[in-house]
Amino acid sequence: IENEVYKKVAFTFMVPTIIFLGVLYASVSARFVFFRIFAGTKHLGSHTVVGWAAWVGILAVLWIFAFIIAEVIPFFSDLLSLMSSLFDSFFGFIFWGVAYMRLRRAKYGEGFWKTRGLRGYLGFFFNILLCMIGVLFLTAGTYATVQSIIDGYKLSSFGGPFTCQDNGL
């Protein structure tokens, strides 16, 4: 992006989202580990020093681990794009479209979009569109990301692990 204003606007929306998702994913992962460690103990449901220390320790270890992974993989941004195109396209789009179809068919029977009138048709076509967008992201997104990784290696644009190479736009 050549225009500095567009860069600033893009980063204004991107930074809070990244922070929010990072905290969310770290908390979910830490909760999983915490519940496994303290299952059946008083530390699981009470505010104890051991419980809080373990919670902070688990979060710290997860954040350090995430930082190391992000720094060791030279094409981490493209790797995130690849994972998104492979998994988020399904779980974010295709899954919900198919779930809607299956739930409506179970509740209203075959031809459910006809029996519900305009709402049925709108819901049906919207969810077909949702599935098609998911398939587009799955196919074209995966292709574009893999091509980006290939091009990045051809152009030697990926730095090494733990380098201070500029990765700005």
Side-chain angles (χ1 to χ4, degrees), residues 147-159 165:
Q147 190 61 49
S148 175
I149 293 170
I150 292 169
D151 292 345
Y153 273 111
K154 281 183 182 175
L155 297 173
S156 300
S157 62
F158 298 128
Q165 180 180 358

Side-chain angles (χ1 to χ4, degrees), residues 4 7 31 40 57-58 68-69 107 119 127 136 142 156 163:
E4 290 297 317
K7 284 183 187 179
R31 181 182 163 112
I58 292 167
I68 290 170
I69 289 174
K107 186 172 184 178
R119 284 182 58 194
N127 283 283
L136 174 70
T142 302
S156 300
T163 61

Side-chain angles (χ1 to χ4, degrees), residues 34-88:
F34 186 83
F35 278 35
R36 290 288 183 167
I37 292 172
F38 292 112
T41 67
K42 68 177 182 176
H43 305 294
L44 186 62
S46 301
H47 293 285
T48 63
V49 174
V50 172
W52 277 105
W55 178 254
V56 170
I58 292 167
L59 280 172
V61 167
L62 284 173
W63 277 102
I64 291 168
F65 186 60
F67 174 77
I68 290 170
I69 289 174
E71 289 299 316
V72 167
I73 300 172
F75 59 95
F76 189 69
S77 176
D78 285 334
L79 181 64
L80 289 178
S81 298
L82 181 62
M83 291 188 312
S84 293
S85 62
L86 289 173
F87 302 112
D88 290 348

Side-chain angles (χ1 to χ4, degrees), residues 68-139:
I68 290 170
I69 289 174
E71 289 299 316
V72 167
I73 300 172
F75 59 95
F76 189 69
S77 176
D78 285 334
L79 181 64
L80 289 178
S81 298
L82 181 62
M83 291 188 312
S84 293
S85 62
L86 289 173
F87 302 112
D88 290 348
S89 60
F90 178 77
F91 291 113
F93 292 91
I94 299 169
F95 175 81
W96 296 110
V98 172
Y100 174 87
M101 299 294 183
R102 291 183 57 112
L103 288 171
R104 292 296 178 221
R105 181 177 295 137
K107 186 172 184 178
Y108 297 106
E110 294 293 325
F112 63 88
W113 61 89
K114 297 174 191 171
T115 60
R116 297 190 63 223
L118 182 61
R119 284 182 58 194
Y121 281 105
L122 289 176
F124 177 77
F125 288 116
F126 174 77
N127 283 283
I128 291 291
L129 178 67
L130 198 64
C131 289
M132 290 169 56
I133 291 170
V135 169
L136 174 70
F137 288 169
L138 178 65
T139 55

